[in-house]
Every structure is written in C-alpha cells, then in structure tokens.
Amino acid sequence: MALVNALTGDHDKEPGPAGAAPSDSTDTASVSPRRSTQAASAAIPLLVRVVGPPTNVVVKVSDTGEIAAQGVLQTGDTRTFREAPLNLVVNNGSSVQVTIYGKLQRARGPGRATWFVDQR
C-alpha cells in the first residue's frame, strides 16, 4: 500500500493492511479522466498535428467558403478546429497526422492530400 500511496501521491494516508485492494474511488478517479478525454476528442471535428517537415495547410469551412486557417505549420504544431463541415488541404500529406472526431485517419503519402470533415 505504501508503494500505491507513493505512486498516487497520497502520502498523508496511512498504509492499509498488506494485500488490501484499493478502494473503488481510487479506481474511478484513475479511469474517469481518460474516458472524458476520449469523449472530448471524439467531439472535436478536426485536429491536425505536424509530425514531419513543415507543410502548407489550408482549412476551409465548407458551407460558407470562409478560410479557417491558412499557412505553413511547423514540425510539432497542432491545430484544433471545433466547427464543421471542413475541407483540409495540405501540401505534404506525409507530414501530418489528421484526427477527425477522435479517429486517427489513414496516413497519406508525400504530395498534396485532402480530407473532408462532415458536420455531425
């Protein structure tokens, strides 16, 4: 139990008897943030992460034609778009990871690549 307390940061609690199972509240607390994070990412229409060389990215709101974002994103940059429908066009499809409503999209090769994000 001391090891459990050391890992969870509950230093002020008394160690329980050897072999005692952790309480249900500890299990719930450790699982809930992951579930809420997954649910939150599933609600986000588009997430673009640059994992390769910098690339030009254009995101357009499909129904209005408005440009939501345009420009070169650097390696490590991440952009989140919370409206839909969207059209995403990148100059180098192999440079980006695209997540649509929480689902990682199939990797694309080098060269121009496009994705469409439906409205839910």
Side-chain angles (χ1 to χ4, degrees):
M1 192 64 173
L3 180 58
V4 170
N5 289 344
L7 294 175
T8 62
D10 295 335
H11 300 290
D12 52 285
K13 292 184 179 179
E14 291 293 321
S23 71
D24 286 339
S25 63
T26 302
D27 287 344
T28 303
S30 65
V31 173
S32 295
R34 179 175 290 148
R35 285 186 186 152
S36 62
T37 301
Q38 289 171 346
S41 68
I44 297 172
L46 177 63
L47 183 135
V48 179
R49 177 175 294 123
V50 181
V51 295
T55 188
N56 190 56
V57 175
V58 178
V59 179
K60 187 186 281 188
V61 180
S62 299
D63 56 358
T64 66
E66 176 186 347
I67 304 244
Q70 180 175 7
V72 175
L73 294 182
Q74 302 298 316
T75 304
D77 285 352
T78 299
R79 297 292 184 270
T80 302
F81 299 90
R82 298 185 183 279
E83 60 183 301
L86 297 169
N87 283 320
L88 166 65
V89 179
V90 298
N91 282 1
N92 183 352
S94 65
S95 286
V96 295
Q97 274 185 342
V98 175
T99 304
I100 298 175
Y101 292 111
K103 183 178 178 189
L104 184 63
Q105 301 300 296
R106 179 180 58 84
R108 305 282 174 91
R112 183 179 169 143
T114 62
W115 290 264
F116 181 73
V117 180
D118 286 322
Q119 186 171 14
R120 280 194 171 174

